[in-house]
Amino acid sequence: MSSTDQLNHTPHVSQWYGITHSKCPRCRTGNVFTGATYGFKVQKMNEFCPHCGLKFEREPGYFYVSMFVSYAMNVAQMISMSVAAYVLGLPLTYENLWYYVAILLVGVLLFSPFNYRYSRMVLLYWLSPGLHYDPSKV
């Protein structure tokens, strides 16, 4: 590989890295959100990618679909927490019903910022037709 090829070669950013670090699905460089998932500043979604200018809300009401993704994530988390509580020794009896309810409510509250962010990332990366990685935008 010559030196000019090395200068013109842009590194490939993996899809997994883009999703986990909340990067733009087109350039995988710009941030989709401002603020951390869990932090004192409220996480806010950028309207446009700060790097390539992609408008994240593809059409009016686009992110309503992410509610369904968030719901699926929430159900999976609730099932996992219930199974974990049972495996860790909480018997599944009528007397322990409120313990399970409390565990699930705490889990839902703890996972809601995570679900908000990553349901939108799943929608942008995997459920949006015509939105693909473009290495020329890097």
Side-chain angles (χ1 to χ4, degrees), residues 98-135:
W98 288 108
Y99 291 120
Y100 277 96
V101 170
I103 290 169
L104 296 180
L105 286 176
V106 168
V108 165
L109 290 174
L110 288 176
F111 279 117
S112 52
F114 176 87
N115 290 345
Y116 170 75
R117 178 176 288 226
Y118 291 106
S119 64
R120 289 176 179 230
M121 295 309 298
V122 165
L123 178 64
L124 284 170
Y125 272 83
W126 292 330
L127 302 176
S128 296
L131 186 57
H132 303 289
Y133 177 57
D134 187 0

Side-chain angles (χ1 to χ4, degrees), residues 90-100:
L90 185 62
L92 189 58
T93 61
Y94 182 75
E95 291 80 25
N96 292 332
L97 176 66
W98 288 108
Y99 291 120
Y100 277 96

Side-chain angles (χ1 to χ4, degrees), residues 42 49 84 131:
V42 176
C49 173
L131 186 57

Side-chain angles (χ1 to χ4, degrees), residues 46-119:
N46 291 324
E47 188 174 347
F48 295 95
C49 173
H51 185 75
C52 70
L54 173 71
K55 183 174 182 177
F56 293 126
E57 189 169 4
R58 313 284 289 162
E59 58 192 36
Y62 177 73
F63 287 110
Y64 283 119
V65 176
S66 70
M67 288 189 307
F68 296 107
V69 176
S70 178
Y71 174 75
M73 292 168 71
N74 205 357
V75 168
Q77 291 158 356
M78 290 172 77
I79 290 171
S80 299
M81 287 184 293
S82 298
V83 169
Y86 180 76
V87 168
L88 292 174
L90 185 62
L92 189 58
T93 61
Y94 182 75
E95 291 80 25
N96 292 332
L97 176 66
W98 288 108
Y99 291 120
Y100 277 96
V101 170
I103 290 169
L104 296 180
L105 286 176
V106 168
V108 165
L109 290 174
L110 288 176
F111 279 117
S112 52
F114 176 87
N115 290 345
Y116 170 75
R117 178 176 288 226
Y118 291 106
S119 64

